[in-house]
Amino acid sequence: PEEHRALDLFPNPTTGVLHVPSAREGHTFVVYDGLGREVQRGRIGEKGRVQLELSAGVFFFQCGDRVGKIVIE
């Protein structure tokens, strides 16, 4: 299996606004549910800000070759 470097994400848990300090503005991100299905795709905003439009649950946030686990409240 391919190894991924961990991605720092905060706040975590979140209610929808997520900050990804290591990501550059404009980079693409993809969010997957626990079954590996893509549930949201977008671009990193200013200062690493991301607005998530997801219901409560546990998801995996990928940006480039880095992945982090996020909890939506």
Side-chain angles (χ1 to χ4, degrees), residues 7-59:
L7 189 60
D8 291 328
L9 307 164
F10 69 90
N12 195 5
T14 182
T15 55
V17 176
L18 189 65
H19 294 277
V20 189
S22 61
R24 292 189 183 180
E25 183 176 350
H27 281 190
T28 300
F29 70 85
V30 183
V31 182
Y32 299 95
D33 67 12
L35 299 176
R37 297 176 297 204
E38 182 179 319
V39 293
Q40 185 174 338
R41 176 181 291 261
R43 296 208 178 268
I44 303 292
E46 186 178 0
K47 298 182 181 177
R49 185 181 186 277
V50 172
Q51 178 66 52
L52 299 173
E53 304 294 337
L54 301 167
S55 56
V58 177
F59 300 90

